[in-house]
Amino acid sequence: MGIAAVFPRRPQGASPATGTRAQLCRRFVRRQALKAAGVSALPVAGVDLFVNGKLLASTLESINLAYGLSAEQVARLPAPQRSQVEALAREIGSYLVGRALTQTLMIGAMRAIGVRLGAQQAAKLVPVAGQIASGAISGWLFKRLCERHIAHCESIAQALPQLPAPADTWQVLDA
């Protein structure tokens, strides 16, 4: 289910503002976080890490596309703009902007929140209540990682207004 199921199509000729793009991304992240929480509530340990890793990678890639900061979009920029994007990404501490989201990068992002992931996996050992806690922790972690990524993309987009217009947010988050 994409964002088009939640919101009607934008009228033709209307252009989404930066704030609107951030709001759309946040709504998309909330839906994805609910999926992550649902998968984590399953009593099978370990499966949720794999599924949520894939879900997180696709969600972050969609956010990058919505802001015009995916690896392909950044690679098409002229060299001076590309170096500005890379310098800003390093400056704000985001290593997920403008890069292909590989398994190594995702493991690095998850390692940053490793203690919470360990608690989430340990909670699965307790029947019912542990599964609920595991789902809640996973959904919260997923949402927090994505919110931080949206903030990073937003700050880069505001710092570099000369960047080419990104893809239509409605279509990116609908896919």
Side-chain angles (χ1 to χ4, degrees):
M1 170 187 287
I3 198 156
V6 180
F7 300 101
R9 287 281 175 197
R10 181 172 46 87
Q12 278 225 312
S15 173
T18 304
T20 304
R21 180 173 47 209
Q23 290 172 350
L24 290 173
C25 286
R26 285 186 182 97
R27 288 179 184 146
F28 179 68
V29 164
R30 279 194 297 269
R31 291 256 182 230
Q32 300 296 82
L34 285 174
K35 290 178 189 176
V39 168
S40 292
L42 296 174
V44 182
V47 172
D48 60 329
L49 292 176
F50 176 74
V51 173
N52 285 345
K54 292 285 189 185
L55 187 61
L56 181 63
S58 68
T59 301
L60 293 177
E61 184 62 31
S62 294
I63 293 168
N64 281 343
L65 281 169
Y67 279 93
L69 296 170
S70 72
E72 296 83 22
Q73 290 167 320
V74 171
R76 280 186 261 142
L77 292 173
Q81 285 183 334
R82 186 173 46 242
S83 64
Q84 284 179 326
V85 168
E86 291 168 356
L88 276 172
R90 279 192 306 272
E91 183 179 311
I92 62 173
S94 176
Y95 55 93
L96 300 174
V97 171
R99 296 198 177 148
L101 299 177
T102 63
Q103 187 175 9
T104 306
L105 283 176
M106 298 312 301
I107 289 171
M110 289 183 177
R111 187 176 295 145
I113 55 169
V115 173
R116 294 183 186 110
L117 281 174
Q120 181 245 348
Q121 288 298 310
K124 284 185 178 255
L125 300 175
V126 179
V128 184
Q131 292 169 352
I132 292 170
S134 176
I137 291 169
S138 180
W140 178 79
L141 289 173
F142 189 96
K143 188 172 180 223
R144 179 153 177 177
L145 273 173
C146 291
E147 289 282 338
R148 184 182 305 164
H149 187 67
I150 290 170
H152 290 165
C153 289
E154 190 74 23
S155 64
I156 290 173
Q158 287 176 355
L160 298 173
Q162 73 273 18
L163 285 177
D168 189 9
T169 305
W170 288 84
Q171 291 175 352
V172 168
L173 298 179
D174 187 30

